[in-house]
Amino acid sequence: MGEHNILGIKGEQIAHEMLLGKGYKILETNWRFSKAEIDIIATMDNMLVIVEVKTRTNQLYGNPEDFVTKAKQKALI
């Protein structure tokens, strides 16, 4: 497994723990439908929360939110 894959898994674990610590209920992790994948599906206060985790060691390649494109958002919806 590549280093970037290990970093991604670690990032997802950190996000999972952070959400639990803030009171979110985790429903699913790495949920797949067809070609789409959602890293974390959670709920809190009657709200469904879809989490896309982007783990970076620095901002050399841009901010994580820049990589959740309109096409990715549309696919998730």
Side-chain angles (χ1 to χ4, degrees):
M1 182 179 297
E3 248 182 79
H4 69 283
N5 296 102
I6 294 168
L7 179 64
I9 291 168
K10 179 73 172 168
E12 288 182 16
Q13 290 170 341
I14 291 168
H16 187 271
E17 292 168 14
M18 184 209 67
L19 290 167
L20 287 174
K22 290 184 178 267
Y24 288 83
K25 179 181 177 188
I26 306 299
L27 301 177
E28 294 282 343
T29 57
N30 300 313
W31 183 85
R32 292 183 180 276
F33 178 78
S34 190
K35 294 181 181 181
E37 190 240 347
I38 298 174
D39 295 326
I40 301 172
I41 301 174
T43 61
M44 183 180 212
D45 299 331
N46 294 319
M47 182 174 19
L48 182 66
V49 180
I50 306 299
V51 180
E52 175 70 16
V53 179
K54 295 293 185 188
T55 308
R56 301 286 187 261
T57 56
N58 60 55
Q59 292 183 329
L60 183 64
Y61 297 108
N63 296 313
E65 61 269 20
D66 297 334
F67 293 90
V68 183
T69 63
K70 293 289 182 189
K72 174 80 174 190
Q73 292 173 32
K74 185 176 179 182
L76 292 173
I77 292 167

